[in-house]
Amino acid sequence: MTPPVLPRFEGGRRALGISAALGVAGLGATAIGAFLDVRQALAGYLFGFTYWLGLSLGALLLLASFHASKARWPVVLRRALEVTAALAPLFLLLFVPLALGMRHLFPWVAPSANLGAHTLEVLDHRRLYNNVPFFLVRAALYFLTWGLVGALLHRWSVRQDATGDVRWTLWQRRLGGGSLPALGLTFSFMTLDWMMALEATWQSTVYAAYVFSGAFVGGLALMIVAGAATRDTRHFGSLLSPGHYHRMGTLLFAFICFWAYIAYSQLMLIWVASLPEEVSWYRVRLEDGWGVMSLVLLLGHFVIPFALLLSRELKARPRALAAVSLWMLGMHAVDVAWLLFPSLFPEAVVIPWTAFTAWVGMGGVSVAAAIWRSRGAYPVPVADPYLVHSLQVRPP
């Protein structure tokens, strides 16, 4: 079987324009919100930033894992993963408002006396790690790592399209496997710096694994939705078979279970230990309005998709699996909100309206950047030696 040589992608102008317009409008509205209440605006901005960065990093980790495992079946998916994973320069730019406004989010930046003597003592003990210069240096290192790995994997894949040289496949596999420790460490410290640090004294040894599992589910769900949305076009979705969807659905099912396992493990260990500084994090999230959101997560992020994805037939049907994936993208937004907002607003259930505008704004510019980066390149790695194998995948 000879792989079809799809034409280079030159379309998407209308989608690019709409996405860019939504992005500008959403970010502009969020900027206006900063004049009304800077802390709530930054809280909403952090939500949008964390959500879309998580999807990009989920795609990067998925791409690196495929290369490390030398998997052949996902070759047809790889270009979409590469484009999504190579958005680190955009998020570096979007990080600037968070860096400028960090004192409104992180209690260690400008501790106030009303935090209490014990909390101030803990913050003072951590000052060698939690200080502004080191914080910015770490952030630069994160973006450098993500940007370098994502850019190289994408560049080498595109070069192979032009030259057909097999060595680019070898280089991608070496970088994919070799970069996983660095990607794991930077992702873990990112969650510590930008999410866990919203509360002065709270800590968890599996927090990064929890955030990672949610981002991985989100990145995989995004690929399923993108594939189903391009089924009737001359893009990568037109080459996906029921076998591809079945394998992606199986991976989605597995990581939904992994997310639930990590969530349960964290809750059980913290509750059994019964340390006041750690239990308080869950106490806020299990009472009153935040408790309702916890129940929504339990049912929507685990019970419902678990029951649906048990069906072998559903996983092989693109539209049905895409519907479940859209649901999971929505549940991922609930998950990110559940992680962030109770830490910022523990006294009452507060979800700033800027969370919606920032989510739309960052989503718009992210989609626009991905479309722009896709233009002029092939929708799939047409010269990859294992593309033929990928196109022959059938349901088990």
Side-chain angles (χ1 to χ4, degrees):
M1 178 179 178
T2 303
V5 180
L6 294 177
R8 294 179 184 271
F9 178 64
E10 301 293 350
R13 292 184 180 180
R14 185 168 179 268
L16 192 154
I18 293 174
S19 299
L22 286 173
V24 172
L27 293 177
T30 307
I32 294 173
F35 290 99
L36 304 176
D37 189 323
V38 64
R39 188 168 186 269
Q40 288 206 11
L42 282 171
Y45 190 89
L46 179 63
F47 165 77
F49 181 85
T50 304
Y51 179 91
W52 291 103
L53 174 64
L55 296 186
S56 177
L57 294 180
L60 178 58
L61 288 163
L62 188 62
L63 176 63
S65 299
F66 283 153
H67 282 304
S69 63
K70 301 181 180 180
R72 299 180 180 184
W73 71 267
V75 170
V76 71
L77 297 168
R78 218 180 64 215
R79 187 56 46 80
L81 285 169
E82 290 165 356
V83 170
T84 306
L87 295 179
L90 171 66
F91 287 104
L92 173 60
L93 181 63
L94 293 173
F95 180 74
V96 172
L98 293 175
L100 295 176
M102 68 173 72
R103 66 186 179 89
H104 297 284
L105 296 173
F106 306 111
W108 60 263
V109 178
S112 60
N114 60 8
L115 289 175
H118 175 68
T119 300
L120 292 174
E121 182 181 352
V122 171
L123 292 179
D124 183 65
H125 179 71
R126 298 176 180 175
R127 69 184 184 278
L128 291 178
Y129 182 84
N130 283 333
N131 59 81
V132 174
F134 192 31
F135 175 87
L136 295 177
V137 168
R138 292 195 305 270
L141 180 62
Y142 305 156
F143 285 111
L144 177 64
T145 302
W146 303 333
L148 186 62
V149 175
L152 287 177
L153 289 177
H154 180 256
R155 180 178 299 179
W156 291 345
S157 181
V158 171
R159 284 184 179 177
Q160 188 175 50
D161 291 344
T163 65
D165 196 335
V166 179
R167 67 179 173 136
W168 299 117
T169 296
L170 298 175
W171 285 24
Q172 289 173 82
R173 286 182 171 181
R174 290 169 183 167
L175 178 60
S179 66
L180 279 175
L183 294 177
L185 285 172
T186 52
F187 189 98
S188 298
F189 278 95
M190 177 271 290
T191 63
L192 171 65
D193 288 352
W194 304 347
M195 300 176 72
M196 193 189 299
L198 294 173
E199 295 197 31
T201 59
W202 189 76
Q203 56 186 349
S204 168
T205 55
V206 296
Y207 185 84
Y210 178 89
V211 178
F212 155 75
S213 59
F216 206 86
V217 167
L220 188 57
L222 182 64
M223 291 301 106
I224 295 171
V225 171
T230 56
R231 284 188 69 204
D232 299 325
T233 67
R234 302 190 72 181
H235 212 281
F236 83 102
S238 63
L239 301 179
L240 295 180
S241 69
H244 291 107
Y245 285 102
H246 184 274
R247 296 189 183 201
M248 288 190 289
T250 302
L251 273 177
L252 187 65
F253 176 81
F255 276 90
I256 286 172
C257 294
F258 180 71
W259 174 90
Y261 168 74
I262 294 297
Y264 170 74
S265 299
Q266 179 174 260
L267 172 60
M268 179 194 67
L269 293 173
I270 288 177
W271 209 260
V272 168
S274 194
L275 297 176
E277 293 177 350
E278 297 181 355
V279 172
S280 61
W281 192 86
Y282 271 107
R283 191 183 301 279
V284 172
R285 288 163 174 79
L286 296 178
E287 296 177 350
D288 302 325
W290 295 125
V292 174
M293 184 177 286
S294 300
L295 181 61
V296 169
L297 268 181
L298 172 63
L299 297 175
H301 204 298
F302 175 62
V303 176
I304 294 174
F306 178 88
L308 292 174
L309 291 174
L310 284 173
S311 169
R312 176 178 176 178
E313 290 74 17
L314 184 147
K315 291 195 288 286
R317 291 162 51 197
R319 290 184 180 179
L321 186 59
V324 175
S325 298
L326 275 174
W327 173 267
M328 293 311 303
L329 288 172
M331 284 298 103
H332 182 51
V334 176
D335 191 26
V336 173
W338 183 82
L339 288 170
L340 299 180
F341 294 137
S343 296
L344 293 165
F345 311 106
E347 298 83 6
V349 177
V350 176
I351 299 179
W353 60 268
T354 52
F356 174 75
T357 59
W359 185 86
V360 171
M362 294 198 194
V365 297
S366 298
V367 172
I371 294 174
W372 176 80
R373 197 174 184 91
S374 300
R375 288 174 56 83
Y378 291 106
V380 297
V382 292
D384 189 283
Y386 300 110
L387 178 60
V388 173
H389 180 92
S390 180
L391 294 174
Q392 294 175 337
V393 167
R394 296 292 181 267

